[in-house]
Amino acid sequence: MAAAQQLGGRRVWVRHQIELLQRISRQREEDKYTDFTLKSKGKEFRVHRNVLAACSPYFDTLFQTNMMEQQSGMATLNFTSAEVMEELLAYMYSGSLRIQEDMVEELLKTADHLLMAEVKELCIQYLLEQLDVSNCLAMKALAQVYKADHLLKAANETIRKNVHAVIKREETLDIPLQSVQELLADDLLQVAKEEELFGYLVSWTKRDLPERKDHFPSLFSNIRLTDIPKRYLEEYVKTEQLVTESEECQKYIAKQTSTSEEESSGQLNARSGKMEEVVMVTGGVSRSPGNEEGTTEMLCYLPRKDTWCQLCPLNYAVTFNAIAALNGKVYVAGGRLWPENRVTSFVSCYSVVENSWTRVRNMSAKRANFALVPCNGCLYAIGGKSERIFLGGSIGEVPVTTVERYYEANHTWSYIPSMTKVCSDVEAVATSDHIYLTFGKDQNGTNIAGNGHLPYYNVKTNVWSKVSATCPISMSRGADDENQIMVSFLRDNKIHFLGLVDGDSTTDGFYQYYDIAADQWTAVTIDWPVFSPGVILPQNISLYTPVHNGNIFICCTLDNDNIGVNSEKTYYRGHMLTLKDKFLDLERTYTTTGVSSVRPAPTSSGCHLDIPQKHLRAFAKDVTMSMPLL
C-alpha cells in the first residue's frame, strides 16, 4: 500500500509485458512446458496451448471441445505453409510480425482461417500501401474473398479512376468472367471513351473465343452505346463479328439507339462516373473596346461538345500565371496580380468535386512567365521572372534560374538544383521521370532550346543535362525573320514542335520532333490550314495544352478586324484547333466566346484533364456564343 501511495495510487507495469513475452518465447525455444504440437507441410512446432488459445479464437474453441486434436495433443494445418506458420507463432510469442510481398496473401488467408483479426488487419494495411493500377483487380478479388471492406473500397476507387490504364494491361485479358461483368457494369467508372470498354470486351472474348463467346452478348449489354460516337458505332461496333453473329446483340443495339419514346426508355443512361474531356483556362487580361482588365474567370472548353462554360472564378485577378493538373485537381500558381502588376507567389487549388478554390502553400519564390509541370506525382515550378528591388527602391523583374518542387501530400515547396541559365517565358513537357524545356528566353531574349539542345531535368538523379542532338530547323519566337515555334508537346515518347517557317509565307509551316529514346531529330515540311483567305491562325496563338486522350488543343486569339468583323471592336475570341492523334492536320472548330465578358486572352494559361460529367452538370455555367466565321 505504501508503494502504491508513493506512486500516487497509479498501477504500473514497468517492463513486465515485454519481459513476460520474452520468457515465454524462450520457453518455447527450449521446449519447456510445451504441451501441444502443430504440424504444417511436414514441419512440427512445439507450442503452449494457453498461448495459442489467447491469440486465436480458432484454437480456443478447439481446446474446449472433445475433438481428436484435443485428445492427441496434435493438430495438422494443411491450409498453410511452414514458413507462414513460423511467422504467426513469432507474432504470438513476441508481438512482432514480418510481412513480405511474396507471402502476404497466404498470411492473410491463414490469419482469416485462425480468426486472428489483428494479423488480418495488418495484412490488409500492407496491401493498401501496395495498391496501384498494376494490382488493383487482384486486390479487389482478395478483398471480396476475405471481406476486407477498406481494401475493397480502395481497390474499386483505383479501378474507377484508372480504368483506361487498367483495361490496357495484358493481365486484364485473363481475369474471370465475374470480374469482367463487375467491371463493365460499374456505373461509377470514370471512363472518357465508352468505346474503349467495347474494345476491351472484344479483346477479352477473343483471348479464349471457344470458352468466352457465349458470354459476349450478356457482357455486351453493359456497354452504354449512347455514349459511343455514331461513326465508331457504325464502323466498328455494328461490324464486329461477335455482334453481327448474335441476335441478342442486334436487339440490344436497336433498343439502345432507338429514337422512339417507348424503346428509348429502356436505354442505359451515361455512367455517373463518365469523364468529360476539358481544357481549363484561367487568368489573363480581358480585352474589350477601349478597355483592358485582369480577369478572375475560370473557363472550361468541352471538345466533345465544342462549347465553353464557366466554373468557379479565382478570388484574385492574375496574368502571366501558370496552371497544371495533378491528381484530378487544378493548381494555379504565380503570375502578376492585377491591377498592381506585382509578381506573386500565390498558389490556389481548384477542386472539381466542390467547384471551389483553396489557397495552399505559397511558392518559395515569386514567379511570372514560368512553367508549372506535373511529373512523378509532384509539381515543378521552373524559372520565370521574379521581382527584384534595385538601388533607389525601384522594383523590376529579372529572369531566374531557380526551380522548386511541390509535394501535394504535405503541401510543401522545396528548392531543387537550379538551371544553368536564367530562363523566362518557360514551356516544358514531362515524361514519367524527366522534364524537358521546349522553350525559354535567356537574358538576351534567345530561346535556350532553339538549336534543339533541350535542357532537361532527371527527377530521380536530381541532375540537369542537355540533349546532345541538333534539330534540323532552328526555333525561336517573336522575330519575323526566324522560324517561329507555335506549340510543342509530348506524344509517343517524342517531343513534337509545330511552327511557321521563316515568316516569308503565312501558309508555310514546319513540323519536327525529337525521339527521346533514339536521341534523334526528324523534320517534315507541312502546310497549315487557313482560317479564312489570307489569314492563318498560328500567328495568334494564345495558349495550348499537353496531349490528352490523343489530342492537343490550341487556343488562338484573334481580333475582330482580323476576321472581317466590325473593326471598331477588338474582342478576343477563343478559336480552338484540335490536333488529332496520328494526324498532322489541324481540325478547326467554330466555337468562340463571342462578346461574352469572359474571353481567353494572350496572357491566360491552360491545362487539360478529365472531369466527371456529374460535376460539370452541377457547376458549369454556359458562356458559349457561336457565330459563323468568314
Side-chain angles (χ1 to χ4, degrees):
M1 178 64 70
Q5 289 174 346
Q6 291 175 2
L7 293 172
R10 292 174 298 166
R11 183 179 296 276
V12 295
W13 286 268
V14 195
R15 289 177 49 83
H16 177 70
Q17 303 102 314
I18 298 174
E19 292 178 355
L20 177 62
L21 279 175
Q22 290 174 343
R23 286 193 291 268
I24 295 176
S25 182
R26 282 196 298 271
Q27 289 175 0
R28 178 189 164 228
E29 293 172 1
E30 297 169 3
D31 199 14
K32 293 176 64 177
Y33 315 121
T34 54
D35 55 0
F36 200 75
T37 301
L38 291 176
K39 294 182 67 175
S40 177
K41 302 295 177 66
K43 187 172 182 178
E44 294 187 358
F45 302 91
R46 292 290 295 163
V47 291
H48 302 88
R49 295 175 193 242
N50 59 338
V51 173
L52 295 185
C55 296
S56 166
Y58 171 90
F59 287 115
D60 188 35
T61 301
L62 184 148
F63 296 146
Q64 294 183 58
T65 60
N66 193 30
M67 296 179 67
M68 180 181 64
E69 290 87 351
Q70 164 69 352
Q71 297 175 7
S72 66
M74 178 181 294
T76 300
L77 307 180
N78 292 321
F79 53 83
T80 190
S81 66
E83 291 78 12
V84 167
M85 199 62 239
E86 184 66 68
E87 287 299 327
L88 285 175
L89 290 173
Y91 172 77
M92 292 181 186
Y93 279 85
S94 70
S96 174
L97 182 68
R98 180 173 59 94
I99 304 178
Q100 297 180 167
E101 184 177 357
D102 60 351
M103 65 182 295
V104 62
E105 185 174 343
E106 187 178 1
L107 189 60
L108 173 62
K109 171 186 174 182
T110 307
D112 183 71
H113 191 97
L114 298 179
L115 306 177
M116 297 178 68
E118 288 185 356
V119 174
K120 181 178 176 180
E121 188 59 36
L122 288 171
C123 291
I124 291 170
Q125 186 58 44
Y126 177 87
L127 291 171
L128 279 168
E129 294 171 359
Q130 309 303 312
L131 178 64
D132 60 24
V133 174
S134 68
N135 59 29
C136 54
L137 286 170
M139 293 285 196
K140 178 179 178 178
L142 272 180
Q144 290 172 325
V145 170
Y146 298 109
K147 298 179 175 57
D149 294 340
H150 293 313
L151 182 60
L152 179 60
K153 180 180 179 181
N156 276 329
E157 288 180 356
T158 302
I159 294 168
R160 288 163 181 165
K161 291 180 180 179
N162 302 279
V163 62
H164 173 79
V166 169
I167 61 177
K168 287 188 177 299
R169 296 186 63 82
E170 183 72 17
E171 61 267 25
T172 311
L173 295 176
D174 296 318
I175 61 176
L177 172 65
Q178 182 61 32
S179 297
V180 178
Q181 171 66 32
E182 291 177 0
L183 178 69
L184 297 179
D186 191 345
D187 186 58
L188 298 178
L189 285 182
Q190 296 184 8
V191 58
K193 298 180 179 181
E194 187 75 15
E195 55 267 34
E196 291 183 347
L197 293 179
F198 172 76
Y200 164 71
L201 172 58
V202 171
S203 297
W204 178 87
T205 305
K206 292 182 177 179
R207 182 81 157 192
D208 188 358
L209 193 59
E211 292 293 325
R212 299 176 177 179
K213 184 178 180 180
D214 291 343
H215 301 297
F216 180 84
S218 62
L219 294 173
F220 181 66
S221 66
N222 292 295
I223 302 297
R224 315 296 172 96
L225 297 182
T226 52
D227 281 344
I228 292 180
K230 184 176 181 180
R231 181 176 175 181
Y232 187 94
L233 184 67
E234 296 294 332
E235 294 184 4
Y236 296 100
V237 178
K238 292 184 176 180
T239 60
E240 167 56 48
Q241 188 174 357
L242 287 167
V243 174
T244 60
E245 292 180 352
S246 168
E247 183 179 352
E248 186 178 343
C249 289
Q250 296 294 324
K251 290 181 178 179
Y252 178 70
I253 292 176
K255 184 176 182 180
Q256 290 295 301
T257 58
S258 172
T259 57
S260 69
E261 183 175 345
E262 182 179 349
E263 288 292 329
S264 61
S265 63
Q267 292 180 354
L268 285 176
N269 295 324
R271 297 179 192 271
S272 297
K274 180 175 173 57
M275 306 299 284
E276 184 75 40
E277 185 180 19
V278 301
V279 178
M280 311 287 277
V281 180
T282 190
V285 174
S286 181
R287 183 181 176 190
S288 58
N291 182 46
E292 285 190 350
E293 60 180 16
T295 179
T296 63
E297 284 84 3
M298 167 70 96
L299 289 176
C300 179
Y301 177 69
L302 285 62
R304 189 172 63 88
K305 298 181 179 178
D306 188 23
T307 59
W308 289 87
C309 63
Q310 183 177 356
L311 301 176
C312 179
L314 274 168
N315 58 7
Y316 54 91
V318 66
T319 65
F320 298 102
N321 55 297
I323 186 172
L326 180 69
N327 297 328
K329 303 183 184 71
V330 178
Y331 288 85
V332 171
R336 301 175 190 169
L337 295 175
W338 184 278
E340 301 93 333
N341 202 32
R342 294 289 301 274
V343 179
T344 181
S345 59
F346 289 173
V347 182
S348 295
C349 176
Y350 174 75
S351 167
V352 299
V353 176
E354 300 174 356
N355 189 37
S356 63
W357 290 94
T358 303
R359 282 283 304 278
V360 295
R361 185 74 59 85
N362 288 354
M363 292 183 292
S364 303
K366 297 179 179 180
R367 301 177 189 271
N369 304 79
F370 69 105
L372 188 66
V373 187
C375 184
N376 199 29
C378 296
L379 287 177
Y380 292 79
I382 304 173
K385 294 180 180 179
S386 191
E387 281 190 348
R388 177 174 295 178
I389 301 177
F390 296 97
L391 293 175
S394 62
I395 299 176
E397 296 177 2
V398 292
V400 297
T401 63
T402 59
V403 183
E404 49 188 307
R405 175 168 50 205
Y406 177 72
Y407 289 97
E408 189 178 48
N410 56 7
H411 306 291
T412 58
W413 290 91
S414 59
Y415 282 111
I416 62 173
S418 298
M419 299 175 289
T420 57
K421 288 185 177 182
V422 297
C423 187
S424 64
D425 299 283
V426 188
E427 295 171 10
V429 298
T431 63
S432 59
D433 51 15
H434 287 76
I435 300 173
Y436 291 82
L437 304 191
T438 58
F439 183 80
K441 294 180 181 178
D442 62 17
Q443 64 270 28
N444 299 317
T446 302
N447 180 16
I448 62 171
N451 57 6
H453 301 319
L454 311 179
Y456 66 90
Y457 173 71
N458 187 322
V459 300
K460 292 185 176 179
T461 63
N462 213 28
V463 174
W464 282 93
S465 304
K466 272 192 173 184
V467 166
S468 59
T470 302
C471 61
I473 305 173
S474 62
M475 300 172 290
S476 186
R477 185 175 290 153
D480 293 338
D481 58 349
E482 296 178 347
N483 303 315
Q484 305 296 302
I485 305 171
M486 185 180 75
V487 294
S488 56
F489 58 93
L490 179 74
R491 185 171 65 199
D492 300 330
N493 208 37
K494 299 178 178 65
I495 303 175
H496 304 258
F497 292 81
L498 304 171
L500 302 176
V501 175
D502 293 330
D504 57 359
S505 171
T506 58
T507 59
D508 290 338
F510 72 78
Y511 163 62
Q512 61 181 338
Y513 62 86
Y514 172 70
D515 188 319
I516 296 174
D519 187 27
Q520 181 178 345
W521 284 91
T522 302
V524 181
T525 301
I526 60 175
D527 291 329
W528 291 117
V530 294
F531 182 68
S532 61
V535 178
I536 181 155
L537 284 178
Q539 293 173 313
N540 300 276
I541 291 299
S542 166
L543 57 96
Y544 63 95
T545 65
V547 170
H548 192 72
N549 295 335
N551 303 322
I552 181 171
F553 296 92
I554 305 165
C555 185
C556 308
T557 59
L558 295 180
D559 294 343
N560 287 352
D561 51 4
N562 281 344
I563 57 173
V565 184
N566 188 341
S567 60
E568 294 182 1
K569 296 182 179 180
T570 53
Y571 295 100
Y572 287 132
R573 303 183 181 280
H575 301 287
M576 299 299 290
L577 298 112
T578 306
L579 183 63
K580 292 293 186 180
D581 191 21
K582 299 180 181 178
F583 290 93
L584 298 182
D585 296 331
L586 288 172
E587 296 185 0
R588 177 172 52 81
T589 60
Y590 293 90
T591 300
T592 77
T593 56
V595 294
S596 163
S597 62
V598 184
R599 293 166 289 277
T603 54
S604 301
S605 57
C607 69
H608 204 158
L609 73 160
D610 292 328
I611 294 180
Q613 279 189 351
K614 60 181 179 180
H615 298 320
L616 281 177
R617 287 196 294 267
F619 301 137
K621 176 183 178 182
D622 184 18
V623 295
T624 297
M625 290 187 65
S626 298
M627 59 183 297
L629 301 179
L630 301 178

